[in-house]
Amino acid sequence: MKQVYGVVGWKNSGKTGLMERLVTEITSRGLTVSTIKHAHHSFDVDQPGKDSHRHREAGASEVLLASRARWALMRELREENEPSLSELLEKLAPVDLVLIEGYKRDKHPKVEAHRAVTGNALIAPEDPTVRAIASDTALESDRPVMDLDDTKKIADFILSDLGI
């Protein structure tokens, strides 16, 4: 089983910024990190008119795009179900830690990003897998609450919680 930790929160709660800062912080400590981001909507990493997009539109199930700098594999699900988080984790190469943005209903450990301005209720009270809250405001909680901008402290918490 891969070491995984999630960042969850409602829209505009600061998840993506926190993820970006955590990747920078944790990799600066010499650890390898991969990420998985859940999108609730249709998305495309490809550009209409490009060869790889044309291959997909023609009906290819998978298109692998490769260069000297990187490679990307795109898979069209067509009528297939969305793969589970565990299925997606199996597709990643081994690393020290996989950070997951979204997938708030899955059972891996998580930190909740929270911004008061959104007006959203916390996820943590209803979800025991949320181990801590990263917030821009002081909160009362039975879990540790850290400043949303204190990336080092949040990274320390995650790595300690995982025993890394």
Side-chain angles (χ1 to χ4, degrees):
M1 175 80 179
K2 289 181 169 59
Q3 291 275 41
V4 300
Y5 218 94
V7 173
V8 297
W10 301 112
K11 184 176 176 153
N12 297 320
S13 63
K15 297 181 302 291
T16 301
L18 179 56
M19 284 280 292
E20 182 180 6
R21 294 189 315 272
L22 285 171
V23 169
T24 300
E25 175 66 27
I26 294 169
T27 58
S28 77
R29 299 178 187 198
L31 297 170
T32 55
V33 177
S34 289
T35 65
I36 293 180
K37 160 90 171 100
H38 189 255
H40 290 285
H41 45 79
S42 179
F43 71 93
D44 204 334
V45 296
D46 212 353
Q47 300 289 324
K50 295 292 186 182
D51 293 349
S52 54
H53 188 270
R54 292 171 61 191
H55 295 181
R56 287 179 29 234
E57 290 296 309
S61 296
E62 291 187 330
V63 176
L64 196 146
L65 185 60
S67 74
R68 293 179 63 163
R70 71 189 54 85
W71 66 270
L73 177 63
M74 293 173 282
R75 178 174 177 101
E76 287 296 315
L77 293 177
R78 309 272 182 224
E79 301 301 318
E80 297 174 47
N81 291 327
E82 179 180 349
S84 69
L85 178 57
S86 61
E87 290 170 317
L88 295 172
L89 285 166
E90 291 303 315
K91 296 182 183 308
L92 293 176
V95 291
D96 296 315
L97 175 63
V98 178
L99 289 173
I100 301 164
E101 182 177 344
Y103 289 94
K104 66 177 154 274
R105 302 203 193 312
D106 282 77
K107 299 302 178 200
H108 56 280
K110 306 167 187 84
V111 62
E112 178 176 357
H114 179 266
R115 283 196 177 124
V117 71
T118 66
N120 290 313
L122 287 171
I123 295 167
E126 306 300 320
D127 186 349
T129 65
V130 174
R131 305 273 180 88
I133 301 164
S135 179
D136 66 352
T137 187
L139 297 171
E140 291 294 321
S141 177
D142 61 345
R143 314 308 142 83
V145 178
M146 296 167 273
D147 186 303
L148 182 59
D149 293 323
D150 193 345
T151 308
K152 182 183 181 316
K153 186 173 183 177
I154 299 166
D156 288 344
F157 177 86
I158 290 170
L159 296 176
S160 174
D161 198 29
L162 291 172
I164 297 177

